[in-house]
Amino acid sequence: MTPAKYVIGVDFGTLSGRALVVRVTDGHEMASAEHEYRHGVISEVLPDHPEIRLPADYALQVPADYIDVLRFAVPDAVAKAGIDPGDIVGLGTDFTACTMVAATGDGTPVCQLEQFADRPHAYAKLWRHHAAQPQADRINALAAARGEAWLPRYGGLISSEWEFAKGLQILEEDPEVYAAIDRWVEGADWIVWQLTGRYVRNISTAGYKAIRQDGRYPSRKFLAELNPDFAGFVEDKIEQPIGRLGEAAGTLTAQAAAWTGLPEGIAVAVGNIDAHVTVAAADAAEPGRLIAIMGTSTCHVMNGKFLREVPGMCGVVEGGITDGLWGYEAGQSGVGDIFAWFTKNCVPQEHEREAAQRGMTLHEHLSDLAAAQAVGEHGLIALDWHSGNRSVLVDHHLSGIMVGQTLHTTCVDQYRALLEATAFGTRMIVETFQRSGVPVEELVVAGGLIKNPLLMQIYADVTGLPLSCVTSTQAPALGAAIHAAAAAGAYRNVPTASGRMGGRRKSAFTPISDNVVRYNALYADYVELHDWFGRKNPLMRRLRILRGQAGLRETVGSAQ
């Protein structure tokens, strides 16, 4: 009997990396292992430099933590699977985006150079680094004034999370670090570079995060108008050969084989975005299926047959999700993060004791109590902008709010209102797609929040769509493994591999008609609040400015 063949998918998340061993023939998940980043998310002080306090909205990482995932999680997963490493034929990876690594010409992170260890801008900038909003605002204003043809493909607004805004921030705030950067690399491509010794840019992050449309980046003239010293950013820092999704970027080097315990020379797939590979895990590449990958944040992705310009979207890229289709992306900057913040800061201890007595997590306990409420019973409307708004306003200086609180409002009321707020945010995205000629017929959910049945039912009721659930609990890692199977030649392309290795539970939750009617009324109120604070009233931005000024004074005071 011919031995079974396997592939590895490695999912690099916000706080940790996960490795998954998958059987090629049917997508059976053999075993997985997780490794937490030693430095986590750096948002207050630099590692080994507690005197260097970071300003508001910083989110940095140490790239060496990503290598540790290869050294620990991959061998651990293979050992748990009990398979012969010689039967592994391919490796695929996915990464948070836009997470940027400042590197020298050989791929060395600039933060590893002794002279830059105490410089914040030398460290990797995590996707949720939002401190480049002023630069993003200038990019947007200039692009609109010049009538740049690429701007409508990003909904009319470029995010502070993306490559150009973050790069411009470094130039203007630490020119020495900027000069030391030879390669401004997406984490998705940097990790593949470390695995193969070849730096290949993937078409997905190049299109969605680096404003590459129709084979071109923004012009040198446009960049010079932003800042004369930024004119050469494309050719000097980011331009590189482009790899299509599902292709092999190269093969595993001897060094990477030593890290992982995998055979040298196996295929390594072109890098990819964590949310985008989930389409393959769900076997949902067909147009009309909106995939929501719900975790600390939510990324919404879907394919379409035709190019449409959708206001406030993160982008539309040809081949950006599945080769041969137009890939659309939107998102919410805070979802699970909002729920975690609330349980950490706003829940009386009595609920923690009750949850422990019932053998539940605090989230399960609060959701169970909230499920007993009728729609609208709490009398609240919340905005889900605690981490800013990614779609459709694309403004990370916005913040959360809750309207309708009284002396009778409970923490359970507020918890349910926050669950609903995130569902309203998703409906705003769905309706924006539909108004722009991109039909949405099914909502497909993946990620850790899929375990909350109340939340899933709320999403079905609020959107009025049938809600399907991805069957894998490790959807991004499975999606990365599916791309590895295609790169290794086990299948002719990613959709074919997805049909055999991925899957979803269709219509796991369906809208309840009475709830739909009630939520339609509440959603109208949400829209009114959304447009007032998001488009008309600058109060939230003024408060952010005050917070930033206070933080700057604190930093200066501590330095003295």
Side-chain angles (χ1 to χ4, degrees), residues 121-188:
H121 283 305
Y123 287 76
K125 283 181 163 46
L126 184 61
W127 63 269
R128 69 184 188 198
H129 176 91
H130 294 149
Q133 187 66 50
Q135 285 76 19
D137 291 343
R138 286 166 46 210
I139 291 172
N140 289 326
L142 180 61
R146 288 172 50 93
E148 294 289 339
W150 43 261
L151 189 62
R153 295 199 185 177
Y154 300 95
L157 292 167
I158 300 303
S159 172
S160 66
E161 296 180 1
W162 298 355
E163 294 189 23
F164 282 75
K166 286 174 173 173
L168 183 58
Q169 184 193 15
I170 296 176
L171 168 66
E172 295 179 339
E173 296 182 6
D174 197 335
E176 287 186 21
V177 167
Y178 183 83
I181 299 172
D182 297 314
R183 296 287 183 268
W184 185 229
V185 193
E186 284 278 355

Side-chain angles (χ1 to χ4, degrees), residues 371-385:
Q373 294 185 352
V375 175
E377 180 180 327
H378 51 52
L380 302 171
I381 290 285
L383 291 178
D384 52 318
W385 300 344

Side-chain angles (χ1 to χ4, degrees), residues 138 142 146 220-228 231:
R138 286 166 46 210
L142 180 61
R146 288 172 50 93
R220 185 181 181 93
K221 185 175 181 181
F222 171 81
L223 299 177
E225 224 175 304
L226 284 170
N227 185 312

Side-chain angles (χ1 to χ4, degrees), residues 247-308:
E247 293 180 338
T251 58
L252 200 67
T253 65
Q255 181 185 52
W259 288 337
T260 60
L262 303 180
E264 181 181 353
I266 63 171
V268 178
V270 166
N272 211 327
I273 299 175
D274 51 1
H276 294 194
V277 294
T278 303
V279 174
D283 187 23
E286 302 91 340
R289 291 160 175 80
L290 179 65
I291 297 88
I293 300 88
M294 298 178 63
T296 55
S297 64
T298 293
C299 189
H300 304 79
V301 293
M302 67 182 300
N303 283 316
K305 293 181 180 179
F306 308 105
L307 172 63
R308 297 287 185 268

